[in-house]
Structure formats: structure tokens, C-alpha cells
Amino acid sequence: MKRGVLLLVVLIAAAVTAFFIVWESPEDPARRTLDDSAFVLDGRSTTCTALFREPCGYELQLEYNRRGADLDTFVNSTDLGPWGNSLSFADAAELTLQACVYSRTAGKTVLEFVDLGRRAHPDAGPVELTPFWNKARQDLCESPWQ
């Protein structure tokens, strides 16, 4: 009887340990980290952290790592409308990358993107932010390895 109880306790302990190992898996996006890749932006080697002056969240860092090589050309040569063209490079780049994040996230539409953009830019509305969504999705976000 004691052996049976001891075996049951050992099995339960193993199951609990296995559960916590899986629960704390590094595959959890909140726990994963990415390299802060550097790309030439405005003639300087720039990381996501340096561009936005704070560490980038996982999704923004992932898009920066994917799109950084084309970001300089996109932001500097794309007509993002009068309001978008008047933004700093960093602000325009952040909205562009966020459009890429939202466009590949199930259930996210231009409406959620506009809400997100208005948090950082309360003066902007759909007319100002939609060009980022449309142009980024058409010209930057689409890639064969997305």
C-alpha cells in the first residue's frame, strides 16, 4: 500500500513538473526575445531600440527585423499623405511597422490600426492613418517568407 501511494505521489509530482515546464516554455511570445538587428536608416546603422529610443516589444522587433532592410526606402519615398509626410522618420516608421503587425494578425483590421495610431497621435484620424495601412500592406509587408 505504501509503495502504491509513493508511486502515485511521484507520478503526480512528475506531471506537475512537466506542466510547469510546458507552461514556462520559451515558445510563449511574451517570454521570447529577438536580436535587435541593425539596418542602415538615414545613412546610419540603426537598431529598433535606437530608432524608437526604447526597447521594442516582440511584435514590433519582429517586423523591424523582417522589414528593416526596406524601411528607409519605403518611408522616404512613399507618399503617405500630407500628414504622414510631415511626421518624423521614427514616427512614420513605427506606424508603418505597426500596420505590418496588424495586417498579419487575425481579426485586426484598419479600424484597430486607426485606434492604435490615435493613441500615439491623437490629432490623426482615419484619413491620416489609412495611407499607412494601405501603402505598407501593398508595398512593404507582403513578402514570400511572411
Side-chain angles (χ1 to χ4, degrees):
M1 173 88 173
K2 285 185 179 181
R3 280 188 158 185
V5 171
L6 181 61
L7 181 60
L8 182 62
V9 169
V10 169
L11 288 175
I12 290 172
V16 169
T17 302
F19 173 78
F20 281 111
I21 289 172
V22 170
W23 184 263
E24 297 292 325
S25 170
E27 293 304 312
D28 179 6
R31 299 191 187 285
R32 290 185 287 183
T33 59
L34 296 169
D35 290 335
D36 198 358
S37 299
F39 298 97
V40 177
L41 304 176
D42 279 341
R44 296 184 306 231
S45 180
T46 307
T47 64
C48 190
T49 299
L51 179 62
F52 302 123
R53 302 192 192 284
E54 61 185 40
C56 293
Y58 183 83
E59 291 295 327
L60 188 61
Q61 183 69 59
L62 181 63
E63 287 304 321
Y64 183 82
N65 290 354
R66 286 179 172 171
R67 319 286 176 215
D70 300 320
L71 192 59
D72 190 55
T73 302
F74 178 83
V75 170
N76 288 324
S77 66
T78 302
D79 182 9
L80 297 168
W83 181 84
N85 293 338
S86 71
L87 291 177
S88 70
F89 181 88
D91 285 343
E94 184 171 26
L95 285 169
T96 298
L97 293 173
Q98 287 171 335
C100 290
V101 169
Y102 271 45
S103 71
R104 68 176 183 80
T105 302
K108 299 288 186 183
T109 67
V110 67
L111 300 175
E112 286 85 10
F113 172 72
V114 167
D115 288 343
L116 174 71
R118 292 190 79 185
R119 284 184 225 140
H121 304 280
D123 58 320
V127 170
E128 291 79 17
L129 295 166
T130 299
F132 286 91
W133 176 263
N134 290 336
K135 304 275 181 156
R137 290 180 69 221
Q138 291 169 2
D139 301 331
L140 183 69
C141 306
E142 298 302 319
S143 80
W145 57 278
Q146 185 176 358

